[in-house]
Amino acid sequence: MRVHVVSDVHGNSGALARAGDGADALICLGDLVLFLDYADHSRGIFPDLFGVANADRIVELRTARRFDEARDLGRSLWAGLAVDRETAIEAAVRRQYAELFAAFPTPTYATYGNVDIPTLWPEYARPGTTVLDGQRIELGGLTFGFVGGGLRTPMRTPYEIPDEEYAAKVEALGEVDVLCSHIPPEVPDLTYDTVARRFERGSRALLDAIHRTRPRWSLFGHVHQPLARRMRIGATECVNVGHFAAGGRPFVLEW
């Protein structure tokens, strides 16, 4: 059995259309939407609406962890639009989702990232794409459990949920062979981004589940340039499947 796994697609529909080539199934661990490309500030919803100069500035503020100033800048920019923020974002996200969901091969098993908008997914998920969050499936004799979204941060991205709600989804999975999530377990080497020079939020509940249930693999994304891309925790191989938007190559899982 061969499964390809991607995460942090961020608008790369061209590579996504090829991501399942040669695989029995594709797994997507979320973050389909491209709001702002930190490597190329001309790409994404934000620069489309407000221009590259404002994108440069907001990246500078966020990278310096000056989140209050970044929010103030954002508020002033959104206030200048002819339409309200929610309407503008939803219209842009819908355009991206139409293209990205059309690129998914069959079968695809997907969960949400922290920048995704789960309420829109049922409109775009075609037959052959199964959306899972706090749920399990069987593939090739192994049990895969899926936990979508992220935990709350000063960034306030669209699908951040309280720790307790996230932990309940992890608990609902029970014992699985492959633990699939958007964010990593709460381990410093897996949560530190070497380019952004900050720790992203990982999940203590995921880490506890790894210690308690000992899955074969823990697969995740979210941290684009991690200090460690993989490490073992007891019997579990923990793997950051990569920043698909930049690399365009899936992680290959075979058994």
Side-chain angles (χ1 to χ4, degrees):
M1 186 80 177
R2 179 184 176 105
V3 171
H4 290 179
V5 189
V6 301
S7 185
D8 300 270
V9 175
H10 295 303
N12 192 347
S13 59
L16 185 62
R18 302 184 297 272
D21 291 354
D24 297 296
L26 177 71
I27 288 175
C28 178
L29 302 181
D31 271 10
L32 298 183
V33 172
L34 178 61
F35 190 77
L36 175 57
D37 188 333
Y38 277 59
D40 179 354
H41 303 169
S42 68
R43 298 182 63 245
I45 295 171
F46 190 92
D48 286 348
L49 291 171
F50 304 119
V52 176
N54 284 316
D56 290 342
R57 179 59 177 157
I58 207 159
V59 168
E60 177 187 356
L61 292 172
R62 287 178 175 176
T63 302
R65 305 186 66 80
R66 294 156 61 184
F67 295 117
D68 289 338
E69 293 175 67
R71 280 193 289 270
D72 288 342
L73 173 60
R75 276 192 290 266
S76 67
L77 293 171
W78 288 110
L81 283 184
V83 297
D84 65 89
R85 174 180 178 141
E86 289 73 20
T87 300
I89 289 178
E90 182 173 320
V93 170
R94 283 182 177 278
R95 288 192 294 271
Q96 291 189 15
Y97 277 170
E99 184 176 350
L100 290 158
F101 276 91
F104 276 140
T106 297
T108 291
Y109 302 93
T111 195
Y112 318 111
N114 60 292
V115 302
D116 287 312
I117 303 178
T119 55
L120 296 182
W121 280 36
E123 296 183 42
Y124 296 94
R126 301 179 174 192
T129 297
T130 304
V131 179
L132 300 148
D133 188 15
Q135 297 160 292
R136 303 154 45 118
I137 58 165
E138 300 291 328
L139 283 176
L142 298 183
T143 303
F144 288 69
F146 292 77
V147 185
L151 298 173
R152 287 180 173 168
T153 72
M155 302 288 281
R156 299 181 185 177
T157 51
Y159 191 43
E160 295 180 355
I161 62 176
D163 289 52
E164 297 78 10
E165 183 179 338
Y166 192 93
K169 292 194 295 185
V170 176
E171 182 68 23
L173 297 179
E175 294 188 8
V176 298
D177 298 299
V178 188
L179 181 57
C180 300
S181 57
H182 177 67
I183 63 175
E186 190 182 58
V187 177
D189 284 0
L190 300 176
T191 58
Y192 186 74
D193 191 305
T194 60
V195 175
R197 292 180 296 175
R198 65 169 181 261
F199 287 99
E200 303 289 353
R201 284 215 64 189
S203 167
R204 168 58 63 172
L206 289 172
L207 182 59
D208 290 344
I210 289 168
H211 284 303
R212 185 176 68 254
T213 67
R214 298 165 60 87
R216 291 194 198 182
W217 292 283
S218 167
L219 307 179
F220 48 86
H222 186 55
V223 184
H224 292 178
Q225 296 89 199
L227 190 62
R229 292 203 172 273
R230 61 194 303 162
M231 65 185 296
R232 292 195 69 84
I233 300 176
T236 303
E237 185 74 12
C238 299
V239 183
N240 185 317
V241 300
H243 181 204
F244 187 76
R249 294 182 179 178
F251 173 75
V252 177
L253 186 66
E254 291 185 286
W255 67 97

